[in-house]
């Protein structure tokens, strides 16, 4: 009976692998799966016939599969496992006496003897030995050291922020995410303990949109921390104890058409002309998801009614179209030279009649409009006259700005014109400013320079991250004011921030063609000399837990249109790699301005996009919520788009891990020093298995002068510390929710703290929460 059941199982496996393998072969894929499917069927027949040759045949199948697997992926355990796991386990099953005995012979005395299992046992032992060797290897690891010498003593950090404070999203106007505190070092970071923990009370609701996320980096001014929450509450805490000082609820309401429900931070400003102690001498500006900017008294949390309209600036002013829920600010404005400079997030791929992506400067005291820069009408920056409107759907900037007040420039990371995947009909100005870094004059809003990172963007490769500013010392000793701009496609642009000219060279390379008939592609695309762009995917890079879902992913890969990075969208379906999450996203990178090095978290996760003709787009459902994944309707355009991560039948990525790293690079030379797998699958699987495969993440790092980098972000719920020089992990702390925010560091007295907000991220599915947690040494 055991033999018959085994034969039936082998026959079913053979039919599944053989049928799928035949389809894969017809698509131009590997012949292995058809061959192994036939092998399983032949083994099943021999088992039914009770032939001992089944053992020999299966032993050859194991060894042949092992040779094929090693020839494809070398000694990468995470790639070998899915290829050989099921096959080796079934080999062990065939070694059971209950299976081998019917295949043996009967002696003249009538006693039954099992067939010898040594050929099969040898094949299994060889496979186990190779697996044991492979599990000790890490073929994706790049080992090396960042330069440890101080290149610049006392470099500019972006303003006169006291060492123990954190005044802006990236700490200062330069957005370096660098703390000059050095109490915490690689030698003592393992002693960090929770100093205090605070819960905001703002938790994810059942009626929230999918991308409800907690991405805030709090500010620390004097003895107070200032933060916001996903539903746009502003909170002030005692920096030493975490005790709440005040809380303000903006009552921004709920709207299922919002694509995002989040807040990355607030803006602090102190009026130098105000009498000390008078109301609103110090202010906190809170952006909201219903397109308002609210001025609050930093001391009490009360509304500063002298600002704008009774304390509230309405950001939808000047929009030709104003559908509710389509426009809001998720990032804090910058406060510079008596101005608040702010952009706004526009829902991706909802409609061709959405709000403008205009960047505006308002008087920081009164809220009066000083200038506006509309990338659809870039030459006119005088305040928009009453009754006129900004350009509909012009490229927007939803991320954080940085600025150099000495140069009089603010640096804007630009997005794309929606619909992201459809480029027909874009104006000359839109083509110029989409997916670029733009330097604007702080006083007038006039364009001083532009550096485009993607030409004719059809992939949602908007520049997602705040540019980081530092001064770079060249080999000849000259000092160049620099800008470091991370991009979704993995390039790190290192530019002269005065002119936008490359410090690390940028070259144009040939790009794939083949757009839909109504559209076109750019013949070339820029690539920076410092890049974390991944190698193009191949069929052998497809993955799965087993041979079966790996085969399904291979078939899916061969069915999609893919010619490498920048393969244009299609009706058949296109593989987009790097995908929409990007190699880098809003978390940016962290810069050490003394050593002139960077630390970042490159992530690699492929997406797919498929254009849907207008007559095939179904009506909008009553309970449908805003999302960047799934069907994006593009109302008014000839196509909608269906998009999302490239996942297999079991809901795991089709591409093989690692999916996430930590990496360090020398900004003077453009050389990547190290790249190590980061994070485990502990919170990605039903069983809490802490396998370090290198997982995706979204969030950002922070560096301290003590030589330690801190990062949450990964989809397992940990805050980790790393040696900046080597990238080696030094410490980790389990978080009660996803840590998809950027940590910061501050001091109270002589004690240094590291703080992170843990609230989860809707798009990556981490655990939601409402925690603000501070750590310090005992």
């Amino acid at each position: 009976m055991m033999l018959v059941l085994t034969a039936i199982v082998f026959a079913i496996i053979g039919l599944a692998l053989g049928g799928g393998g035949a389809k894969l072969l017809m698509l131009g894929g590997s012949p292995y799966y058809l061959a192994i499917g036939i092998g399983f069927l032949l083994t099943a027949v021999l088992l039914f016939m009770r032939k001992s040759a089944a053992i020999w045949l299966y032993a050859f199948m194991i060894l042949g599969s092992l040779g094929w697997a090693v020839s494809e992926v070398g000694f990468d355990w995470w790639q070998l496992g899915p290829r050989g796991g099921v096959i080796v386990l079934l080999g062990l099953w065939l070694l059971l006496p209950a299976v081998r005995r019917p295949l043996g012979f009967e002696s003249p005395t009538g006693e039954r003897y099992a067939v010898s299992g040594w050929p099969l046992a040898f094949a299994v032992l060889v496979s186990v030995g190779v697996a044991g060797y492979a599990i000790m290897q890490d073929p994706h690891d790049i080992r090396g050291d960042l330069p440890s010498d101080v290149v610049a003593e006392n470099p500019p950090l972006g303003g006169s922020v006291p060492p123990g404070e954190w005044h802006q999203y990236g700490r200062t106007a330069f957005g370096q995410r660098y703390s000059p505190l050095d109490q915490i070092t690689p030698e003592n970071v393992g002693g960090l303990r929770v100093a205090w923990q605070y819960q905001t009370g703002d938790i994810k609701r059942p009626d929230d949109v999918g991308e409800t996320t907690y991405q805030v980096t709090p500010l620390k001014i004097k003895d107070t921390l200032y933060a916001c929450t996903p539903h746009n509450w502003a909170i002030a805490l005692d920096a030493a104890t975490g005790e709440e000082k005040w809380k303000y609820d903006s009552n921004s309401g709920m709207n299922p058409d919002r694509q995002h429900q989040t807040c990355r931070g607030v803006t602090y400003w102190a009026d130098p002309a105000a009498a000390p102690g008078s109301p609103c001498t110090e202010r906190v500006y809170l952006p909201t998801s219903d397109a308002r900017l609210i001025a609050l008294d930093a001391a009490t949390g009360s509304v500063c009614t002298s600002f704008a309209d009774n304390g509230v600036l309405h950001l939808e002013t000047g929009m030709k179209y104003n559908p509710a829920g389509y426009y809001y600010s998720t990032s804090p404005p910058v406060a510079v030279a008596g101005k608040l400079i702010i952009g706004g997030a526009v829902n991706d791929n909802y409609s061709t009649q959405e709000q403008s992506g205009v960047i505006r400067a308002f008087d920081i005291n009164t809220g009066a409009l000083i200038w506006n820069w509309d990338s659809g009408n870039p030459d006119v920056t005088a305040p928009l006259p009453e009754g006129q409107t900004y350009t509909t759907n012009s490229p927007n900037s939803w991320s954080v700005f940085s600025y150099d007040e000495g140069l009089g420039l603010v640096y804007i990371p630009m997005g794309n014109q929606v619909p992201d995947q459809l480029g027909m009909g874009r104006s000359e100005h839109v083509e110029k400013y989409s997916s670029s870094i733009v330097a604007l004059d702080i006083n007038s809003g006039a364009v001083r320079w532009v550096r485009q990172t993607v030409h004719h963007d059809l992939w949602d490769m908007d520049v997602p991250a705040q540019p980081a500013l530092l001064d770079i010392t060249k080999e000849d000793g000259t000092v160049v004011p620099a800008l470091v701009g991370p991009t979704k496609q993995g390039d790190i642009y290192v530019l002269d921030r005065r002119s936008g000219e490359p410090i690390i060279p940028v070259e144009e390379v040939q790009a794939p063609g083949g757009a839909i008939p109504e559209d076109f592609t750019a013949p070339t695309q820029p690539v920076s000399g410092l890049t974390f762009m991944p190698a193009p995917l191949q069929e052998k890079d497809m993955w799965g837990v087993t041979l079966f879902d790996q085969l399904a992913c291979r078939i899916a890969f061969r069915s999609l249109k893919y010619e490498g990075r920048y393969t244009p969208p299609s009706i058949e379906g296109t593989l987009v790699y790097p995908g929409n999450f990007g190699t880098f996203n809003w978390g940016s990178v962290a810069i050490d301005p003394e050593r002139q090095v960077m630390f970042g978290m490159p992530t690699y996760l492929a997406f797919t996009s498929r254009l849907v003709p207008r007559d095939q787009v179904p009506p909008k459902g009553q309970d449908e919520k805003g999302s960047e994944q799934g069907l994006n309707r593009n109302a008014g355009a000839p196509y909608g788009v269906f998009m999302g991560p490239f996942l297999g039948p079991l809901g795991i990525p089709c591409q093989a891990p690692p999916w996430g790293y930590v990496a360090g690079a020398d900004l003077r030379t453009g050389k990547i020093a190290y790249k190590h797998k980061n994070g485990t699958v502990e919170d990605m699987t039903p069983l809490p298995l802490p396998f370090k495969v290198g997982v995706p993440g979204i969030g950002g790092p922070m560096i301290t002068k003590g030589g330690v980098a801190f990062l949450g972000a990964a989809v397992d719920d940990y805050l980790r510390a790393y040696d900046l020089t080597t990238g080696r992990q030094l410490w980790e702390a389990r978080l009660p929710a996803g840590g998809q925010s950027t940590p910061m560091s501050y001091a109270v007295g002589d004690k240094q703290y590291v703080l992170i907000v843990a609230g989860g991220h809707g798009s990556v599915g981490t655990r939601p929460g409402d925690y603000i947690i501070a750590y310090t040494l005992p």
Side-chain angles (χ1 to χ4, degrees):
M1 185 64 179
M2 176 80 80
L3 186 67
V4 173
L5 289 175
T6 301
I8 291 172
V9 170
F10 271 59
I12 293 171
I13 291 173
L15 289 171
L17 291 176
K23 182 174 183 179
L24 178 62
L25 190 62
M26 287 189 291
L27 291 169
S30 170
Y32 166 78
Y33 294 85
L34 176 58
I36 200 69
I38 293 172
F40 268 101
L41 288 172
L42 289 175
T43 304
V45 170
L46 292 173
L47 291 172
F48 273 119
M49 295 174 65
R50 298 188 174 219
K51 299 290 186 180
S52 61
I55 298 295
W56 282 90
L57 173 59
Y58 200 74
F60 282 121
M61 286 170 58
I62 289 178
L63 292 175
S65 296
L66 178 62
W68 163 77
V70 171
S71 70
E72 270 208 326
V73 299
F75 296 101
D76 182 345
W77 191 88
W78 289 103
Q79 283 268 49
L80 292 176
R83 286 165 167 80
V86 169
I87 294 174
V88 171
L89 286 174
L90 289 173
L92 291 171
W93 180 263
L94 290 180
L95 286 172
L96 293 174
V99 177
R100 288 189 295 113
R101 188 173 293 112
L103 301 177
F105 62 94
E106 190 175 313
S107 72
T109 62
E111 190 171 352
R112 193 80 188 174
Y113 289 91
V115 68
S116 172
W118 74 261
L120 189 53
F122 173 76
V124 169
L125 284 173
V126 170
S127 297
V128 171
V130 170
Y133 173 76
I135 206 168
M136 303 300 292
Q137 308 305 306
D138 192 351
H140 305 282
D141 192 62
I142 299 174
R143 296 187 182 185
D145 291 353
L146 286 173
S148 57
D149 293 339
V150 172
V151 180
E153 296 279 359
N154 302 313
L157 302 181
S160 56
V161 178
E165 300 192 8
W166 194 283
H167 283 201
Q168 299 189 34
Y169 178 77
R171 188 175 174 272
T172 73
F174 281 12
Q176 296 168 344
R177 293 160 181 78
Y178 171 80
S179 170
L181 300 174
D182 60 3
Q183 185 179 95
I184 298 170
T185 67
E187 291 72 32
N188 64 22
V189 66
L192 283 178
R193 299 291 183 268
V194 173
W196 56 260
Q197 176 177 292
Y198 170 83
Q199 289 184 256
T200 68
D202 184 2
I203 58 175
K204 190 171 183 177
R205 309 173 189 177
D207 55 342
D208 265 321
V209 296
E211 182 136 338
T212 297
T213 65
Y214 205 1
Q215 301 172 342
V216 65
T217 298
L219 308 182
K220 193 265 187 179
I221 291 91
K222 291 181 277 194
D223 63 352
T224 304
L225 294 164
Y226 299 99
C228 56
T229 72
H231 296 97
N232 310 131
W233 304 355
I235 297 173
L237 304 176
D238 183 284
T241 65
E243 183 180 352
E244 182 182 305
K245 292 187 173 184
W246 56 256
K247 181 186 293 184
Y248 171 82
D249 184 352
S250 69
N251 294 308
S252 58
M254 304 292 287
N255 189 319
D257 283 333
R258 290 176 190 158
Q259 211 162 43
H260 307 271
Q261 186 72 51
T262 191
C263 183
R264 294 191 184 92
V266 296
T267 301
Y268 168 83
W269 177 72
D271 185 354
S278 60
C280 294
T281 296
E282 299 176 68
R283 296 184 184 182
V284 169
Y285 293 90
L286 171 69
T288 71
S289 51
D290 59 351
R292 292 176 295 157
L293 183 67
I294 303 173
L296 303 174
D297 188 320
T300 65
S302 58
V303 176
C304 298
T305 56
S306 62
F307 175 75
D309 179 13
N310 220 21
V312 177
L313 186 63
H314 298 279
L315 298 174
E316 74 275 11
T317 302
M319 306 298 180
K320 182 176 182 180
Y321 302 103
N322 189 33
Y326 282 37
Y327 180 78
Y328 32 80
S329 180
T330 59
S331 297
V334 297
V336 56
K339 302 173 185 67
L340 286 167
I341 304 176
I342 189 169
V346 177
N347 279 356
D348 281 337
N349 308 329
Y350 273 44
S351 170
T352 58
Q353 296 183 347
E354 296 188 25
Q355 291 88 339
S356 173
V358 61
I359 311 298
R360 288 171 286 189
F362 298 93
D363 184 287
I364 203 163
N365 280 301
T366 67
L369 181 63
I370 297 174
W371 56 256
N372 36 234
W373 182 75
D374 177 357
S375 57
N377 184 25
D379 299 325
V380 180
T381 62
L384 186 75
E386 190 173 349
Q388 295 188 23
T389 56
Y390 300 113
T391 307
T392 297
N393 277 6
S394 56
N396 67 312
S397 183
W398 51 268
S399 192
V400 185
F401 310 156
S402 50
Y403 64 88
D404 184 330
E405 194 165 7
L407 292 176
L409 296 178
V410 57
Y411 302 97
I412 315 292
M414 292 298 295
N416 206 349
Q417 179 180 24
V418 296
D420 290 313
Q421 286 76 23
L422 301 175
M424 51 278 208
R426 293 177 182 170
S427 70
E428 176 186 354
H429 295 314
V430 168
E431 292 285 11
K432 180 177 181 178
Y433 293 109
S434 287
S435 305
S436 65
I437 301 170
V438 178
L440 301 181
D441 187 291
I442 288 173
N443 292 316
S444 68
V447 176
R448 297 276 275 276
W449 58 259
V450 57
R451 170 63 56 176
Q452 190 165 63
T453 66
V454 183
H455 307 319
H456 195 66
D457 185 358
L458 302 174
W459 306 273
D460 189 25
M461 291 297 167
D462 42 11
V463 180
Q466 178 186 26
L469 313 182
L470 79 159
D471 287 359
I472 288 182
T473 305
K474 300 178 77 172
E475 289 298 325
D476 62 5
T478 58
V479 177
V480 181
L483 174 148
V484 179
T487 64
K488 282 186 177 181
Q489 58 271 28
D491 293 321
I492 304 285
Y493 284 84
V494 183
L495 311 173
D496 186 323
R497 67 177 182 265
R498 298 168 297 187
S499 63
E501 290 302 308
I503 297 173
I504 293 177
V506 175
E507 64 173 329
E508 293 283 334
V509 300
Q510 190 171 358
I516 57 175
E518 304 95 320
D519 209 343
F520 66 93
T521 59
T524 65
Q525 292 288 357
V527 177
S528 172
L530 174 52
T531 183
F532 290 88
M533 70 174 176
L537 288 173
Q538 302 178 58
E539 183 194 320
K540 67 180 182 179
D541 297 317
M542 296 303 102
W543 197 63
V545 173
T546 68
L547 202 62
F548 308 105
D549 53 319
Q550 186 192 62
L551 172 58
C553 284
R554 284 181 180 248
I555 292 171
F557 175 81
R558 288 289 182 179
S559 302
L560 291 166
K561 184 178 179 181
Y562 180 64
E563 299 174 33
R565 194 167 75 153
Y566 302 124
T567 303
S570 63
I571 295 174
E572 302 82 10
T574 292
L575 187 63
V576 182
Y577 186 60
N580 298 56
F581 276 166
T583 306
F584 297 98
N585 208 292
W586 53 262
S588 194
V589 296
I591 303 296
D592 184 327
E594 294 188 356
R595 295 166 59 178
Q596 300 180 10
V597 298
M598 60 149 277
F599 179 89
M601 183 194 64
T603 292
Y604 301 101
L605 195 63
F607 269 56
T608 63
S609 69
R610 178 170 57 84
L611 298 179
V612 183
R614 176 55 47 200
D615 59 3
Q616 297 177 27
V617 177
K620 191 173 188 295
Q622 289 293 322
D623 59 347
E624 198 169 323
K625 295 183 180 181
S627 176
E628 289 182 300
Q629 299 179 32
L631 179 64
N632 287 212
R633 298 182 173 279
N634 290 340
Y639 297 92
V641 61
F642 192 91
M643 56 193 290
F646 184 34
L647 303 178
L650 300 180
I652 61 175
C654 264
Q655 72 192 82
W659 304 300
Y661 296 83
V662 291
D666 186 339
L667 295 172
R668 301 176 70 205
T669 64
K671 302 298 183 184
I672 297 172
Y674 58 77
K675 192 175 175 186
H676 306 312
K677 291 187 298 187
N678 183 58
T680 71
V681 295
E682 180 173 349
D683 295 303
M684 294 179 68
T685 58
L687 297 176
L689 303 173
F691 295 141
K692 189 173 183 178
V693 300
V695 296
I698 190 164
M702 178 267 293
I703 290 173
T704 68
K705 186 174 181 176
V708 182
F710 291 90
L711 175 70
V715 295
D716 58 350
D717 300 335
Y718 285 94
L719 172 65
R720 295 185 169 96
Y722 309 81
D723 186 313
L724 176 60
T725 300
T726 65
R728 180 174 59 92
Q729 184 178 314
L730 303 170
W731 169 85
E732 66 180 16
R734 184 72 167 156
L735 297 173
Q740 281 69 55
S741 63
T742 300
M744 50 85 76
S745 186
Y746 65 92
V748 177
D750 60 356
K751 187 175 288 291
Q752 182 180 356
Y753 294 79
V754 171
L755 181 146
I756 190 169
V757 168
H761 195 290
S763 289
V764 297
T766 50
R767 187 182 295 115
D770 63 339
Y771 299 88
I772 301 176
I773 307 172
Y775 301 84
T776 192
L777 295 171

